[in-house]
Amino acid sequence: KRFIFLILIGKAITQFNHIDFFHFSSFLLSAHVQDAVLKPADIAWLAREKRLALVCNRFDWAAKEASGARQRRRTGLRFDRVAKVSAKAIPKGSDSVFNLLAISFSVTDEPAGVVELAFSGGAGLRLHVECIEAALDDLGPMWATENEPRHES
């Protein structure tokens, strides 16, 4: 599967509130990768290309909802038009496994803003972007898993 979530350049959308669009879009992306797991070595900041790319094992919540199947998929996620990246509590070269909890977006100077990736243990990435341009690609077949992520309320 391939999901291209957003390509928003300039102020092309005029029929509804831009901020609602930005937040709804980051919500969609976040829902698909919630509870994905990855290691710091799975993250690449390609400054010349203005791209942050990562590979993760995402829990397939859509399959769970549709059929009850518990499965993961190797998935690539990229953000383009990234001007700057800052990391918090993500040690380079670490073999630690991080759980991606959520992705959010805050507008700074529309359509520019900050994409935040929140990980377990207080870790995170902040991407200063010209606009939201992201793609999510499933890279191979799914595999069954016994473990289903659980959330405490």
Side-chain angles (χ1 to χ4, degrees):
K1 288 182 186 177
R2 180 168 200 188
F3 305 96
I4 300 203
F5 277 89
L6 302 172
I7 298 175
L8 180 66
I9 302 168
K11 297 181 180 179
I13 298 173
T14 58
Q15 298 302 313
F16 58 93
N17 185 325
H18 292 275
I19 293 173
D20 289 344
F21 177 76
F22 294 138
H23 289 283
F24 178 70
S25 300
S26 63
F27 171 77
L28 283 176
L29 185 57
S30 186
H32 279 282
V33 295
Q34 181 181 17
D35 298 309
V37 292
L38 67 154
K39 295 180 180 182
D42 296 326
I43 303 168
W45 164 228
L46 308 168
R48 285 192 180 139
E49 289 87 3
K50 293 183 150 188
R51 173 177 290 165
L52 181 107
L54 61 88
V55 179
C56 60
N57 298 331
R58 74 176 180 90
F59 188 82
D60 193 337
W61 287 106
K64 172 68 177 163
E65 188 173 311
S67 67
R70 290 185 302 237
Q71 57 193 33
R72 287 199 176 267
R73 297 178 181 273
R74 192 74 171 152
T75 300
L77 172 60
R78 76 167 196 266
F79 292 91
D80 291 312
R81 298 177 179 265
V82 179
K84 176 183 166 188
V85 175
S86 56
K88 175 184 170 190
I90 300 179
K92 290 182 181 177
S94 168
D95 221 20
S96 300
V97 176
F98 291 92
N99 183 354
L100 181 54
L101 304 174
I103 297 175
S104 61
F105 178 74
S106 302
V107 175
T108 55
D109 184 19
E110 188 179 304
V114 177
V115 174
E116 293 192 49
L117 287 77
F119 296 97
S120 55
L125 291 172
R126 290 175 53 90
L127 288 61
H128 297 264
V129 298
E130 298 169 15
C131 61
I132 298 176
E133 185 173 335
L136 180 71
D137 293 300
D138 287 332
L139 304 175
M142 66 82 181
W143 66 91
T145 180
E146 292 295 321
N147 301 318
E148 178 181 335
R150 302 216 184 272
H151 304 123
E152 295 180 15
S153 46

